[in-house]
Amino acid sequence: MSESTSARSAEPRPDDPEPIRAVPLRHPGRWISGAIVLIALGLFAWGAATNEAYRWDIYARYLFDARITAAAWKTVQLTVLAMAIAVVLGVVLAVMRLSPNPVLRSVAWLYLWVFRGTPVYVQLVLWGLFPSIYKQIDLGIPFVHQFVHIDVQGLNAAFLFAVIGLALNEAAYMAEIVRAGITSVPEGQLEASTALGMSWSQTIRRTVLPQAMRVIIPPTGNELISMLKTTSLVAAVPYSLELYGRARDISGANFQPIPLLLVAATWYLAITSLLMIGQYYLERHYSKGLSRQLTARQLQALADAQNVPVAEAGKPTPKPGAPGEEHI
């Protein structure tokens, strides 16, 4: 194309419509509502900072107290141990519910019915009364010979009972989460695994569960955060060395419940924030390949493979013109 032709095409013609003058829409309501919210937050913060009932000096004194930090570590231990047991048991229960064996299905359904139908606080109270219900546990051959005798009443195992109580309750919810993830896998994957000669258990373990993780991870992260806050109920066992129980004991000694509750809430919020960050990266890991949009790292790898700049990576290579075709 010659320069004169391109110049003539760039000149406006008399019959061309006038160019559109785009004017951005104004949203005064957004600014007004945002200003109202900011003013309300500022007033609340100022009121909390100047209210003597909060006793911020007591709050600062106990925020990093050795007893509080130790209790926060106990809370993390309770959360991690109970959640680990719940995940393993939840997977087993979910597989049992989907099993073709009617006995396994019935037992799994009965477990979910009991533990989902009763409050977790009531279950923890019963675990606290476990030494009164079962004073001694005998292990061996029933009605023949007992090899091990465990004196339950002599055990000082409030932490263990708290972990078991939380884990068994959470396993019922994890079973439904895992079952939903398994059923989200297309049936074609099951048929392909069967065609390859895999057994039912191999199909679940090698084909279904790895693909179901994308659906399982988000609600599991929510359950982990919920478990962290549910540990405040283990006083029903009774176990009081976790975060809320320790803050309550200290406030009972200095008669300052409000700042100690704020201390406990701050630690819960800090631990929850860390768990949310971990959940974000875990979800991103298991969602690889779900979106067609390439990440920055994938674009860089593709650009290096094609030996082109990153901006041109992934673009289709132009096909050469037909013989005799003139390129403009």
Side-chain angles (χ1 to χ4, degrees):
M1 182 183 295
S2 63
E3 294 183 1
S4 60
T5 305
S6 61
R8 286 195 303 269
S9 60
E11 294 178 358
R13 293 179 296 179
D15 55 345
D16 286 345
E18 295 183 1
I20 299 175
R21 298 178 59 185
V23 179
L25 294 176
R26 302 184 184 276
H27 302 279
R30 295 181 183 177
W31 293 98
I32 295 174
S33 59
I36 293 174
V37 171
L38 289 177
I39 292 172
L41 289 176
L43 292 175
F44 175 79
W46 174 257
T50 56
N51 192 337
E52 296 181 357
Y54 286 105
R55 294 299 303 270
W56 295 110
D57 55 335
I58 303 294
Y59 170 85
R61 184 191 309 172
Y62 286 99
L63 182 60
F64 296 104
D65 186 88
R67 292 168 293 179
I68 294 296
T69 54
W73 174 237
K74 287 292 184 181
T75 298
V76 172
Q77 290 178 345
L78 278 172
T79 304
V80 173
L81 291 175
M83 199 65 193
I85 297 173
V87 168
V88 175
L89 185 56
V91 172
V92 174
L93 290 170
V95 173
M96 289 173 61
R97 284 210 65 188
L98 297 173
S99 171
N101 189 324
V103 176
L104 296 182
R105 288 202 312 268
S106 301
V107 171
W109 181 88
L110 181 64
Y111 181 96
L112 268 63
W113 176 63
V114 172
F115 282 92
R116 292 177 65 193
T118 55
V120 61
Y121 190 86
V122 175
Q123 297 174 28
L124 291 174
V125 170
L126 287 175
W127 279 104
L129 297 174
F130 189 83
S132 300
I133 301 173
Y134 299 98
K135 299 178 176 59
Q136 180 175 314
I137 297 179
D138 298 326
L139 301 178
I141 302 175
F143 310 109
V144 178
H145 181 69
Q146 308 302 321
F147 301 104
V148 179
H149 303 276
I150 302 175
D151 184 13
V152 179
Q153 286 189 329
L155 293 177
N156 187 14
F159 181 85
L160 176 61
F161 289 143
V163 171
I164 294 175
L166 292 173
L168 293 182
N169 176 264
E170 183 60 34
Y173 297 93
M174 284 303 307
E176 290 299 280
I177 292 174
V178 174
R179 186 174 68 90
I182 292 176
T183 54
S184 68
V185 178
E187 294 184 1
Q189 300 290 325
L190 304 177
E191 297 172 355
S193 300
T194 304
L196 291 174
M198 292 186 183
S199 64
W200 184 83
S201 60
Q202 290 176 329
T203 300
I204 294 294
R205 188 175 66 254
R206 298 180 181 179
T207 304
V208 177
L209 283 179
Q211 298 183 66
M213 291 300 292
R214 179 178 58 83
V215 179
I216 295 174
I217 288 297
T220 301
N222 296 334
E223 290 296 319
L224 178 61
I225 293 173
S226 178
M227 173 67 74
L228 175 71
K229 295 176 287 187
T230 307
T231 55
S232 61
L233 299 178
V234 295
V237 172
Y239 181 78
S240 61
L241 295 182
E242 45 79 39
L243 187 55
Y244 172 71
R246 203 60 171 154
R248 184 190 56 190
D249 292 343
I250 296 174
S251 66
N254 62 9
F255 302 102
Q256 296 292 338
I258 297 176
L260 267 301
L261 284 176
L262 292 176
V263 167
T266 302
W267 276 99
Y268 281 122
L269 186 60
I271 301 172
T272 300
S273 301
L274 294 177
L275 294 178
M276 291 174 65
I277 294 173
Q279 178 185 357
Y280 167 76
Y281 284 103
L282 198 60
E283 287 182 16
R284 192 174 71 170
H285 172 75
Y286 280 102
S287 63
K288 288 181 179 179
L290 180 64
S291 175
R292 296 183 179 180
Q293 184 177 0
L294 299 179
T295 63
R297 183 178 298 180
Q298 291 170 335
L299 283 173
Q300 184 62 50
L302 184 60
D304 295 340
Q306 296 179 353
N307 197 20
V308 296
V310 177
E312 299 181 6
K315 293 182 178 180
T317 305
K319 297 181 181 180
E325 181 178 350
E326 193 172 320
H327 297 281
I328 299 177

